[in-house]
Amino acid sequence: MDGNYILYKLILASVILLISLVVAMYSTLLERKVAGFMQDRLGPNRAGIGGIFQPLADGLKLFFKEEFMPGTADKFLYILGPSLTMMIALLTSAVIPWGNSFIINGTEYTLQVADINVGVLYVFAILSIGVYGIMIGGWASNNKYALIGAVRAASQMISYELAMSMSIITIVMMSGTLSLKDIVDQQHGMNWNVWYQPLGFLIFIVCAFAECNRSPFDLPECETELIGGYHTEYSSMKLGFYLFAEYINMFISSAMIATLFFGGYNFPFMDSLNLSHNALTIIGSLVFFAKIAFFVFFFMWVRWTLPRFRYDQLMRLGWKSLLPLAIINILITGFVIMIKNHL
Amino acid sequence: MSANQNIGSLSGRSKIVSNKKMTFAERIYLPAIFGGFRITISHFFKKKATIQYPEETRPIAEIYRGKHVLKRDDEGRERCTACGLCALACPAEAITMIAAERKEDEMNLYREEKYASVYEIDMLRCIFCGLCEEACPKEAIFLTNVTVPSDLHRSDFIYGKDVLVEPVDKRVDISHRQTPEVLAFKKDKNQSHNV
Ligand code: SF4
Ligand code: SF4
């Protein structure tokens, strides 16, 4: 491991961090625009051309807001909550292959911060600590609404994690690897996993919505009954962190969906273009971001289409529908793999 | 068959609640969800209803009932004679006035012997019904298609003569509200308002 390599990884990590933040920032604008357009409105369009500076203005406003902390709150945990949420939201981006690799002077530079061979497990691990940020925040603010929101979030995320992991297990079974880069490489061209695992994809995307606390599963923060849920007592940039983390989560989830089911940076006819390796990598990364953009849009599309679930419906869907479906999916996949191996 | 089964609801929109079991397609939600997606995305590309306010304003009718104007006659004299009929007619009690007697040297300022030295309308009380205009025997007060702008203090909404009386050199056109037919109607002795 020479200094060059470490420098390269540092730069790559910073760039990815920056991209995640900027994308999340502009997702807030996009969300408001999409909401507006779907409701026959225009959305914010006053700050800059087409509202391009709106996220900056929003961020600035949050910074200048009064920092309010309830007197009975646990100070340390109160601050830890949003920080943890933000950090965990950003951690997952380390294992996602954002593109193939550049070959410069004979050395190969992959566009992935860490190609660990248990990438999928790493993602699960991060996902399952994601609930702590919310739980700590809701608990520390010493408010019944915040606590109810946090408890809801915890049970919801743990319930849906199961079905989500089970739906990815089929992918792991098919590809025989836990490394995300290998999974992507196996989906060369149009050989995407979604063609083989449509059911797995459906389960995964539903669970991804639940994991991100996005509508129709936004019960932890449902404004109408819980006044914002776990972040009721938060103000200023701490609230901003919670809201921001949601958008980062959305971005990372979209990236995961694109990676696992839609071939990551692979795109059809990539071999017949006769381009150099580096050019292909650039196009591949762009294609990858286009896929992510579509899924981010899809997240918003769903939010402005579907009403919120009731809590018992949410639990019934998670435990009685998605989990059995995921298990059946595993069985079928295993059966098909077995038959294939014996032919 | 009982009697009330034959009677439809008054609005004709009531529905009998059905507790039928949901079909499989309904239970897995997906067809309904895709139906919803179709609807929202179709709205995404529809023409937007937004009117971009300062640059673009909602078109308002010529006979819109907005801010009042106190008219002058052809020679530039104020028409109002401070009879108080408008204040009496006003359902919101928005109008107050103080009457004064015209002096010898004020012949060119006021048309009648008595005039309003103070005439105030509280624009926060006014409901823009136009009854003052209807009540006025001197064709002195009219509503115009100008909206009352927003302001910061309640006191700023009490408009005095300085705002209400039309400038001599910038006459306000009220011909849309005062058409010959309206005038004839106002003067019609057979109508109750003139009895
Ligand atoms: S428009 Fe109606 S409410 Fe307003 S001042 Fe005239 S009579 Fe009163
Ligand atoms: S505006 Fe008309 S009704 Fe009112 S006081 Fe003057 S003359 Fe009389």
Side-chain angles (χ1 to χ4, degrees), chain A residues 37 40-41 45-46 301 305, chain B residues 37 40 43 48-49 52 55:
Chain A
F37 271 70
D40 295 342
R41 296 184 284 114
N45 62 354
R46 291 287 145 156
W301 188 2
T305 302
Chain B
F37 284 160
T40 40
H43 276 272
K48 304 298 168 230
Q52 306 227 42
E55 297 93 51

Side-chain angles (χ1 to χ4, degrees), chain B residues 70 79-86 97 119 135-138 140-141:
Chain B
L70 282 172
R79 299 183 73 110
C80 175
T81 185
C83 65
L85 284 176
C86 50
M97 71 192 71
Y119 189 104
C136 183
K138 296 292 179 189
I141 189 162

Side-chain angles (χ1 to χ4, degrees), chain B residues 68 86 89-92 94-95 121 125-132 143:
Chain B
H68 310 64
C86 50
C90 178
I95 305 177
I121 301 180
R125 298 194 68 138
C126 177
I127 56 172
F128 301 98
C129 60
L131 287 184
C132 45
L143 274 62

Side-chain angles (χ1 to χ4, degrees), chain A residues 26 29 32-33 43-58:
Chain A
Y26 275 92
L29 175 65
R32 293 172 64 182
K33 280 276 181 199
N45 62 354
R46 291 287 145 156
I49 306 151
I52 201 82
F53 296 127
Q54 189 67 40
L56 296 177
D58 287 343

Side-chain angles (χ1 to χ4, degrees), chain B:
Chain B
M1 198 186 257
S2 69
N4 58 3
Q5 261 173 321
N6 294 326
I7 302 167
S9 70
L10 287 176
S11 64
R13 282 185 305 217
S14 80
K15 278 191 190 139
I16 291 164
V17 176
S18 101
N19 281 328
K20 73 172 175 60
K21 270 244 174 307
M22 288 201 285
T23 61
F24 178 72
E26 281 167 346
R27 250 183 303 141
I28 59 169
Y29 297 127
L30 286 179
I33 287 174
F34 284 114
F37 284 160
R38 209 180 46 78
I39 291 172
T40 40
I41 203 72
S42 75
H43 276 272
F44 195 88
F45 297 108
K46 271 197 187 136
K47 205 182 156 296
K48 304 298 168 230
T50 311
I51 291 175
Q52 306 227 42
Y53 172 54
E55 297 93 51
E56 213 185 310
T57 44
R58 193 181 291 276
I60 55 176
E62 300 278 12
I63 53 163
Y64 183 83
R65 296 197 302 265
K67 200 182 93 180
H68 310 64
V69 61
L70 282 172
K71 291 295 287 179
R72 292 174 187 277
D73 69 358
D74 295 339
E75 290 151 42
R77 302 175 298 186
E78 287 177 23
R79 299 183 73 110
C80 175
T81 185
C83 65
L85 284 176
C86 50
L88 193 69
C90 178
E93 302 189 353
I95 305 177
T96 46
M97 71 192 71
I98 294 172
E101 201 183 329
R102 180 180 63 180
K103 300 274 155 39
E104 212 43 53
D105 56 339
E106 291 174 337
M107 297 287 271
N108 59 335
L109 291 179
Y110 309 109
R111 204 168 80 132
E112 315 285 339
E113 278 169 30
K114 188 177 144 210
Y115 71 95
S117 62
V118 176
Y119 189 104
E120 286 177 345
I121 301 180
D122 187 341
M123 290 300 172
L124 290 179
R125 298 194 68 138
C126 177
I127 56 172
F128 301 98
C129 60
L131 287 184
C132 45
E133 174 186 320
E134 213 171 282
C136 183
K138 296 292 179 189
E139 318 299 337
I141 189 162
F142 286 95
L143 274 62
T144 61
N145 62 352
V146 179
T147 41
V148 174
S150 57
D151 223 321
L152 293 178
H153 302 285
R154 278 173 178 272
S155 54
D156 294 341
F157 283 99
I158 297 172
Y159 284 15
K161 274 178 78 173
D162 50 332
V163 191
L164 293 173
V165 179
E166 65 173 343
V168 187
D169 48 345
K170 261 189 18 227
R171 294 305 196 83
V172 179
D173 177 27
I174 44 96
S175 55
H176 289 286
R177 288 193 68 77
Q178 183 78 323
T179 56
E181 294 83 45
V182 173
L183 209 57
F185 175 78
K186 275 185 169 178
K187 299 246 147 65
D188 189 349
K189 291 285 176 238
N190 297 326
Q191 299 289 339
S192 62
H193 59 81
N194 281 329
V195 175

Side-chain angles (χ1 to χ4, degrees), chain A residues 8-23:
Chain A
Y8 166 69
K9 286 290 176 190
L10 263 179
I11 293 173
L12 184 65
S14 332
V15 167
I16 287 172
L17 189 74
L18 221 77
I19 290 178
S20 313
L21 289 178
V22 169
V23 167

